[in-house]
Amino acid sequence: MIFSQEELDRTYTPNELNFIIKRLERMKVKLMNDIYALESEDSLGLFIGHCNLCMKCTKTIGMPCKMPFKLRYSIESLGGDVDRTIEDTFGYKIIYAKDGKLPEYMIFVGGLLYDKK
C-alpha cells in the first residue's frame, strides 16, 4: 500500500494512526483468505504479525480460539526474520508509522509452509 504525498505530509494523532492501520488490516484479511485458498494437506499458511480475525482474541484471556480452523502461526513466532527476508528477497525495507507520520508504504507478508516430501 502506497500513501499519497498529502497523506505523508500530515501529522496524525495516535488515535488517527491506529484507525488508519486498523482499516488497512482489512487488506491483511484478504491476503489471509487468498493464502487459505492455496493451502493443501501438505502446506500451511503463515502470516506476518498477530491474528486479527476476531475483534477480541479469546486466547489473550486464557480461553480457546473461536476459529481454530483458521488459526495460523505468524512467521515471526516460528523464528522467521520477516524484515530481513523481505529486504534480501525483494529489496524493500519494512517501515513503520513513527512520530505521527505514516510510512511511505506498507507491506503485508504471507506465505505457505510446505512439508518437503
Side-chain angles (χ1 to χ4, degrees), residues 12-93:
Y12 296 87
T13 67
N15 284 343
E16 289 173 322
L17 272 178
N18 191 38
F19 179 76
I20 291 167
I21 291 168
K22 288 283 184 198
R23 274 191 19 226
L24 295 175
E25 289 212 354
R26 290 183 197 152
M27 293 176 70
K28 181 179 168 185
V29 171
K30 183 192 177 325
L31 172 66
M32 291 170 72
N33 286 329
D34 290 345
I35 291 174
Y36 289 136
L38 295 172
E39 288 181 345
S40 70
E41 63 185 46
D42 295 328
S43 66
L44 186 66
L46 298 174
F47 307 106
I48 189 171
H50 68 281
C51 174
N52 63 339
L53 292 172
C54 300
M55 292 294 286
K56 175 72 175 162
C57 177
T58 53
K59 290 182 64 104
T60 62
I61 55 171
M63 302 286 292
C65 176
K66 289 183 195 177
M67 290 194 247
F69 55 93
K70 284 195 167 188
L71 177 67
R72 300 296 183 274
Y73 295 99
S74 71
I75 298 167
E76 303 92 336
S77 74
L78 298 175
D81 186 339
V82 175
D83 290 22
R84 183 172 165 199
T85 301
I86 294 302
E87 193 166 348
D88 290 352
T89 305
F90 300 106
Y92 287 100
K93 202 170 177 71

